[in-house]
Amino acid sequence: MAAAPHIELDSRSPEAVDGRQIRAVTFQDSRLEYIRTTLKSVDLPASGSRAVVVGSGRGLLARGVAGLGFDVVAVDPSATATEMAREAGGREHPGIDYRTAPAERLGLADGAFDLAYYADTFEITPDLDRVLAEAARVLRPGGVLIYDTVNRTLLSRLIYLGAFQRVPMTRIMPAGRYTAARLRTPAELTAALERQGLCNEDICDFKPKDPRSLVKATMARRRGRITDEQIPPIVDFVLAPDARPLVTYLGHARKG
């Protein structure tokens, strides 16, 4: 699986833009809120349970999951991202096990985890079935898979294939990271999950309260006016469980 470039973000320089990190800090609150809601619905206590975070990047989500009480393994295909995650989380959560591996070959034991969270993964892999088969393999029977991904709609293509990859003022990702074929509708993803023995139980739209704020924040980041950490207060993402996902969506499935 191709990995996004990882660049130091110690300045506000436009050259320091890293799209995965922007997504991580922007989505963090929504992701953790959805995890907490899902844990209640499936009656899974975090304390004493093991979780793997796939596509962990610089480790922000892995640290959030560890903060809930899970014993966490964080996996990312980029060795650079893994090292940065290890450095960032070493003091706050020294127990997190950071590893470098592709989502298609995690190198983890069968049935070792109660929870698996896949971030920034399904929408970039060319072999979704292989990724899901690996997820099913490392989950215990009854284990929970939580994911966030990108729908394939006209609006999502305009944003992810156009604004995020091609338009200079809003570009945050390298060309080719996203393709229309790798964006999956909820129906397509549900079918793929079922092929691997994973029963999808929920789909939840999540989006910025005001889409204009996302455009403004992205442009400001590109111009070096703000840092990644200043984006979340500007772009307030919210869960919309009753809405049809037009761009991004969260969901969870159970292993039979």
Side-chain angles (χ1 to χ4, degrees), residues 148-161:
D148 60 72
T149 192
V150 184
N151 199 355
R152 190 177 66 252
T153 64
L154 175 59
L155 182 57
S156 70
R157 280 182 277 191
L158 287 173
I159 294 173
Y160 277 81
L161 307 187

PDB file of all heavy atoms in Angstrom, residues 148-161:
ATOM      1  N   ASP A 148     -13.293   4.416   9.476  1.00  0.00           N
ATOM      2  CA  ASP A 148     -13.804   5.604   8.803  1.00  0.00           C
ATOM      3  C   ASP A 148     -13.240   5.610   7.396  1.00  0.00           C
ATOM      4  O   ASP A 148     -12.111   5.168   7.161  1.00  0.00           O
ATOM      5  CB  ASP A 148     -13.446   6.892   9.563  1.00  0.00           C
ATOM      6  CG  ASP A 148     -11.954   7.116   9.726  1.00  0.00           C
ATOM      7  OD1 ASP A 148     -11.282   7.446   8.726  1.00  0.00           O
ATOM      8  OD2 ASP A 148     -11.459   6.978  10.859  1.00  0.00           O
ATOM      9  N   THR A 149     -14.032   6.056   6.452  1.00  0.00           N
ATOM     10  CA  THR A 149     -13.600   6.014   5.059  1.00  0.00           C
ATOM     11  C   THR A 149     -14.355   7.059   4.252  1.00  0.00           C
ATOM     12  O   THR A 149     -15.095   7.871   4.802  1.00  0.00           O
ATOM     13  CB  THR A 149     -13.789   4.592   4.486  1.00  0.00           C
ATOM     14  OG1 THR A 149     -13.116   4.487   3.228  1.00  0.00           O
ATOM     15  CG2 THR A 149     -15.252   4.237   4.330  1.00  0.00           C
ATOM     16  N   VAL A 150     -14.172   7.030   2.941  1.00  0.00           N
ATOM     17  CA  VAL A 150     -14.738   8.036   2.050  1.00  0.00           C
ATOM     18  C   VAL A 150     -15.717   7.379   1.085  1.00  0.00           C
ATOM     19  O   VAL A 150     -15.387   6.380   0.437  1.00  0.00           O
ATOM     20  CB  VAL A 150     -13.622   8.751   1.258  1.00  0.00           C
ATOM     21  CG1 VAL A 150     -14.207   9.864   0.395  1.00  0.00           C
ATOM     22  CG2 VAL A 150     -12.562   9.312   2.201  1.00  0.00           C
ATOM     23  N   ASN A 151     -16.911   7.937   1.014  1.00  0.00           N
ATOM     24  CA  ASN A 151     -17.922   7.459   0.081  1.00  0.00           C
ATOM     25  C   ASN A 151     -17.519   7.833  -1.355  1.00  0.00           C
ATOM     26  O   ASN A 151     -16.647   8.683  -1.564  1.00  0.00           O
ATOM     27  CB  ASN A 151     -19.273   8.098   0.429  1.00  0.00           C
ATOM     28  CG  ASN A 151     -20.450   7.338  -0.167  1.00  0.00           C
ATOM     29  OD1 ASN A 151     -20.280   6.386  -0.924  1.00  0.00           O
ATOM     30  ND2 ASN A 151     -21.651   7.752   0.179  1.00  0.00           N
ATOM     31  N   ARG A 152     -18.136   7.202  -2.329  1.00  0.00           N
ATOM     32  CA  ARG A 152     -17.916   7.556  -3.727  1.00  0.00           C
ATOM     33  C   ARG A 152     -19.155   8.276  -4.256  1.00  0.00           C
ATOM     34  O   ARG A 152     -20.129   7.652  -4.661  1.00  0.00           O
ATOM     35  CB  ARG A 152     -17.604   6.327  -4.586  1.00  0.00           C
ATOM     36  CG  ARG A 152     -17.124   6.719  -6.009  1.00  0.00           C
ATOM     37  CD  ARG A 152     -16.745   5.523  -6.855  1.00  0.00           C
ATOM     38  NE  ARG A 152     -17.892   4.686  -7.151  1.00  0.00           N
ATOM     39  CZ  ARG A 152     -18.111   3.494  -6.627  1.00  0.00           C
ATOM     40  NH1 ARG A 152     -17.271   2.985  -5.729  1.00  0.00           N
ATOM     41  NH2 ARG A 152     -19.183   2.790  -6.951  1.00  0.00           N
ATOM     42  N   THR A 153     -19.111   9.575  -4.191  1.00  0.00           N
ATOM     43  CA  THR A 153     -20.194  10.420  -4.683  1.00  0.00           C
ATOM     44  C   THR A 153     -19.565  11.544  -5.497  1.00  0.00           C
ATOM     45  O   THR A 153     -18.345  11.718  -5.508  1.00  0.00           O
ATOM     46  CB  THR A 153     -20.997  11.045  -3.528  1.00  0.00           C
ATOM     47  OG1 THR A 153     -20.122  11.925  -2.793  1.00  0.00           O
ATOM     48  CG2 THR A 153     -21.550   9.978  -2.593  1.00  0.00           C
ATOM     49  N   LEU A 154     -20.396  12.313  -6.169  1.00  0.00           N
ATOM     50  CA  LEU A 154     -19.874  13.442  -6.931  1.00  0.00           C
ATOM     51  C   LEU A 154     -19.153  14.419  -6.007  1.00  0.00           C
ATOM     52  O   LEU A 154     -18.056  14.892  -6.320  1.00  0.00           O
ATOM     53  CB  LEU A 154     -21.011  14.162  -7.665  1.00  0.00           C
ATOM     54  CG  LEU A 154     -20.624  15.441  -8.421  1.00  0.00           C
ATOM     55  CD1 LEU A 154     -19.558  15.148  -9.469  1.00  0.00           C
ATOM     56  CD2 LEU A 154     -21.858  16.079  -9.047  1.00  0.00           C
ATOM     57  N   LEU A 155     -19.749  14.697  -4.844  1.00  0.00           N
ATOM     58  CA  LEU A 155     -19.143  15.640  -3.915  1.00  0.00           C
ATOM     59  C   LEU A 155     -17.822  15.118  -3.369  1.00  0.00           C
ATOM     60  O   LEU A 155     -16.841  15.864  -3.267  1.00  0.00           O
ATOM     61  CB  LEU A 155     -20.108  15.931  -2.766  1.00  0.00           C
ATOM     62  CG  LEU A 155     -19.632  16.942  -1.710  1.00  0.00           C
ATOM     63  CD1 LEU A 155     -19.291  18.271  -2.364  1.00  0.00           C
ATOM     64  CD2 LEU A 155     -20.693  17.115  -0.630  1.00  0.00           C
ATOM     65  N   SER A 156     -17.766  13.834  -3.013  1.00  0.00           N
ATOM     66  CA  SER A 156     -16.512  13.294  -2.468  1.00  0.00           C
ATOM     67  C   SER A 156     -15.405  13.311  -3.511  1.00  0.00           C
ATOM     68  O   SER A 156     -14.238  13.562  -3.196  1.00  0.00           O
ATOM     69  CB  SER A 156     -16.724  11.869  -1.942  1.00  0.00           C
ATOM     70  OG  SER A 156     -16.949  10.961  -2.994  1.00  0.00           O
ATOM     71  N   ARG A 157     -15.760  13.061  -4.768  1.00  0.00           N
ATOM     72  CA  ARG A 157     -14.754  13.108  -5.821  1.00  0.00           C
ATOM     73  C   ARG A 157     -14.241  14.536  -6.038  1.00  0.00           C
ATOM     74  O   ARG A 157     -13.040  14.748  -6.264  1.00  0.00           O
ATOM     75  CB  ARG A 157     -15.304  12.522  -7.115  1.00  0.00           C
ATOM     76  CG  ARG A 157     -15.285  10.991  -7.122  1.00  0.00           C
ATOM     77  CD  ARG A 157     -15.771  10.410  -8.405  1.00  0.00           C
ATOM     78  NE  ARG A 157     -17.226  10.340  -8.432  1.00  0.00           N
ATOM     79  CZ  ARG A 157     -17.929   9.679  -9.341  1.00  0.00           C
ATOM     80  NH1 ARG A 157     -17.312   9.038 -10.319  1.00  0.00           N
ATOM     81  NH2 ARG A 157     -19.238   9.656  -9.289  1.00  0.00           N
ATOM     82  N   LEU A 158     -15.145  15.491  -5.976  1.00  0.00           N
ATOM     83  CA  LEU A 158     -14.725  16.887  -6.118  1.00  0.00           C
ATOM     84  C   LEU A 158     -13.745  17.275  -5.008  1.00  0.00           C
ATOM     85  O   LEU A 158     -12.761  17.973  -5.250  1.00  0.00           O
ATOM     86  CB  LEU A 158     -15.948  17.807  -6.076  1.00  0.00           C
ATOM     87  CG  LEU A 158     -16.850  17.799  -7.316  1.00  0.00           C
ATOM     88  CD1 LEU A 158     -18.109  18.617  -7.052  1.00  0.00           C
ATOM     89  CD2 LEU A 158     -16.107  18.353  -8.528  1.00  0.00           C
ATOM     90  N   ILE A 159     -14.008  16.782  -3.790  1.00  0.00           N
ATOM     91  CA  ILE A 159     -13.156  17.137  -2.649  1.00  0.00           C
ATOM     92  C   ILE A 159     -11.857  16.343  -2.650  1.00  0.00           C
ATOM     93  O   ILE A 159     -10.755  16.907  -2.610  1.00  0.00           O
ATOM     94  CB  ILE A 159     -13.921  16.924  -1.326  1.00  0.00           C
ATOM     95  CG1 ILE A 159     -15.099  17.905  -1.237  1.00  0.00           C
ATOM     96  CG2 ILE A 159     -12.985  17.091  -0.130  1.00  0.00           C
ATOM     97  CD1 ILE A 159     -16.006  17.670  -0.056  1.00  0.00           C
ATOM     98  N   TYR A 160     -11.958  15.009  -2.687  1.00  0.00           N
ATOM     99  CA  TYR A 160     -10.772  14.172  -2.506  1.00  0.00           C
ATOM    100  C   TYR A 160      -9.922  14.039  -3.768  1.00  0.00           C
ATOM    101  O   TYR A 160      -8.686  14.008  -3.683  1.00  0.00           O
ATOM    102  CB  TYR A 160     -11.178  12.795  -1.986  1.00  0.00           C
ATOM    103  CG  TYR A 160     -11.368  12.790  -0.491  1.00  0.00           C
ATOM    104  CD1 TYR A 160     -12.540  13.247   0.086  1.00  0.00           C
ATOM    105  CD2 TYR A 160     -10.348  12.378   0.358  1.00  0.00           C
ATOM    106  CE1 TYR A 160     -12.715  13.280   1.463  1.00  0.00           C
ATOM    107  CE2 TYR A 160     -10.498  12.411   1.737  1.00  0.00           C
ATOM    108  CZ  TYR A 160     -11.685  12.867   2.277  1.00  0.00           C
ATOM    109  OH  TYR A 160     -11.836  12.914   3.645  1.00  0.00           O
ATOM    110  N   LEU A 161     -10.560  13.941  -4.924  1.00  0.00           N
ATOM    111  CA  LEU A 161      -9.789  13.804  -6.157  1.00  0.00           C
ATOM    112  C   LEU A 161      -9.390  15.154  -6.732  1.00  0.00           C
ATOM    113  O   LEU A 161      -8.375  15.259  -7.421  1.00  0.00           O
ATOM    114  CB  LEU A 161     -10.583  13.017  -7.210  1.00  0.00           C
ATOM    115  CG  LEU A 161     -11.142  11.658  -6.785  1.00  0.00           C
ATOM    116  CD1 LEU A 161     -11.754  10.946  -7.979  1.00  0.00           C
ATOM    117  CD2 LEU A 161     -10.081  10.802  -6.123  1.00  0.00           C
TER     118      LEU A 161
END
